[in-house]
Amino acid sequence: MKRSFRPDGGLFLLAVLVIVFFVLDLFIGSYHISLSNIIKALFAPGQVDSQLVTIVRQFRLPKALTALLAGAALSVAGLQMQTVFRNPLAGPYVLGISSGASLGVALLVLGAGSLFATGAFSVMGAWSVAGAAWIGAAVILMLILAVSARVKDIMTILILGILFSAATSAIVNIMQYFSSESMLKSFVVWTMGSLGSVTNAQLQVLLPGVLLGLFLAIISAKLLDAFLLGEDYARSMGMNVQLARVLIFISTCILAGSITAFCGPIGFIGIAVPHIVRMALKTARHQRLIPGTILLGSATMLFSDIVSQLPGSESTLPINSVTALLGIPVVIWIILRNKTVGALS
């Protein structure tokens, strides 16, 4: 009985952490707004200045919601890849999935740049960016899937994923070389990662995309548990391994592709968060790991966004740099702790 209550307590604490960081993310910014005015701007906009309502509703709330979704999506995508490939260093960023999504966006933005130069990011435009990112991520995942059918060594698959990432980056660099100055500037800013540039129209695409990806991940929890025991064992239990892989890969493509499309490539959250959740909840069951990863991933990205705003300053750091500074020490610690990257702890 005691064992069944400990994870629930951990999930409750993580949920509280998410709420605290969400409120702080709304509160902190270059323009000081009191907490009472933030609450009024959200729930009683007629009682405060219209300028404050605009700042809170049009800028801070969408940014905080984007951080919430980005952290959850990238962390769950990393958890799925670590389980399927049984590699603690697997993740959408390392395997090249984020790079594939970046290539899809680059082909659309740099290839059809004039459509975006007007800044008129309609809902249809947002869907086209998301679709390009999903297709780019899916192409890389299909390549990795094809390789994994021939090569069983997980380290080789990881190295090939890094090579795929390098190859897509090289293609993007060539496209940047031949692009116009204005398009190049827009694309370079996008590659730095930004939560604050997501518009309400893009959020209308990002929200259902991430929710769909998380839904697929949640219904795949038992399949992920079977992958932990090995594919041969999963087949002996009557599981259709190929169908399970496709379902999990679709979820990963949607999650990683959606975030990359609108926030740029964001690294290390997908690797670090699942490991911390495993240690905190002391479980390998995905029915509990997935909600824990969603909550801690959201909390981590909200914290990163708070740090990136440099409280007391009008400057904002690239979110990708902040997540790298937070995530790399965790990854190094994981390697030193396990002494080998051959198996999940």
Side-chain angles (χ1 to χ4, degrees):
M1 293 295 289
K2 288 182 179 177
R3 191 177 177 183
S4 64
F5 277 94
R6 286 175 60 186
D8 292 339
L11 292 178
F12 175 76
L13 289 175
L14 287 174
V16 172
L17 197 64
V18 171
I19 294 171
V20 170
F21 284 150
F22 188 83
V23 173
L24 282 175
D25 204 26
L26 289 176
F27 182 70
I28 294 175
S30 58
Y31 187 83
H32 175 71
I33 305 175
S34 67
L35 188 58
S36 60
N37 280 338
I38 289 176
I39 295 173
K40 288 178 182 176
L42 290 174
F43 301 105
Q47 298 181 17
V48 291
D49 186 78
S50 60
Q51 188 178 5
L52 298 184
V53 175
T54 301
I55 292 174
V56 173
R57 288 196 164 201
Q58 299 298 321
F59 296 99
R60 294 192 185 183
L61 183 61
K63 185 163 62 68
L65 289 173
T66 302
L68 202 74
L69 295 172
L74 294 175
S75 301
V76 171
L79 174 66
Q80 292 183 122
M81 291 299 93
Q82 288 172 14
T83 300
V84 170
F85 290 105
R86 303 182 69 188
N87 191 314
L89 294 182
Y93 197 74
V94 175
L95 288 174
I97 301 167
S98 295
S99 296
S102 299
L103 177 61
V105 175
L107 289 170
L108 185 70
V109 174
L110 297 178
S114 58
L115 298 177
F116 299 88
T118 60
F121 236 126
S122 63
V123 173
M124 186 60 73
W127 277 109
S128 64
V129 173
W134 293 340
I135 293 171
V139 168
I140 296 298
L141 257 180
M142 289 301 105
L143 287 173
I144 296 172
L145 183 63
V147 169
S148 64
R150 292 174 172 269
V151 180
K152 299 301 179 186
D153 183 69
I154 55 176
M155 283 307 296
T156 303
I157 295 173
L158 191 67
I159 293 170
L160 287 171
I162 294 172
L163 292 176
F164 288 148
S165 177
T168 54
S169 297
I171 296 172
V172 171
N173 287 337
I174 293 172
M175 293 183 66
Q176 290 182 58
Y177 181 80
F178 289 105
S179 64
S180 65
E181 185 177 344
S182 59
M183 288 301 101
L184 179 61
K185 182 180 179 181
S186 301
F187 188 77
V188 168
V189 170
W190 173 81
T191 59
M192 291 180 180
S194 173
L195 302 174
S197 60
V198 177
T199 64
N200 286 329
Q202 293 171 335
L203 203 54
Q204 291 174 23
V205 177
L206 184 63
L207 179 61
V210 172
L211 291 180
L212 175 61
L214 293 178
F215 172 74
L216 293 176
I218 290 170
I219 64 174
S220 304
K222 289 186 177 178
L223 302 177
L224 290 166
D225 285 343
F227 272 112
L228 272 183
L229 300 173
E231 292 187 5
D232 292 337
Y233 179 83
R235 287 192 183 91
S236 70
M237 296 294 290
M239 190 178 90
N240 187 329
V241 173
Q242 285 302 110
L243 184 62
R245 271 185 172 180
V246 170
L247 182 64
I248 294 167
F249 282 4
I250 289 174
S251 170
T252 301
C253 287
I254 293 174
L255 291 172
S258 299
I259 300 305
T260 305
F262 300 120
C263 306
I266 300 175
F268 300 102
I269 293 291
I271 297 178
V273 169
H275 288 286
I276 298 173
V277 174
R278 286 190 192 94
M279 288 185 289
L281 300 184
K282 300 184 187 308
T283 181
R285 295 180 60 225
H286 287 80
Q287 286 93 339
R288 295 198 181 280
L289 278 179
I290 290 175
T293 303
I294 290 172
L295 292 171
L296 186 61
S298 298
T300 304
M301 190 60 78
L302 285 166
F303 177 74
S304 300
D305 188 40
I306 292 169
V307 173
S308 74
Q309 294 178 66
L310 291 175
S313 170
E314 295 184 358
S315 302
T316 302
L317 295 174
I319 192 69
N320 208 3
S321 301
V322 178
T323 57
L325 290 174
L326 293 175
I328 288 175
V330 176
V331 174
I332 293 173
W333 178 73
I334 290 166
I335 294 172
L336 294 176
R337 175 176 175 268
N338 291 338
K339 293 185 175 60
T340 175
V341 294
L344 287 171
S345 59

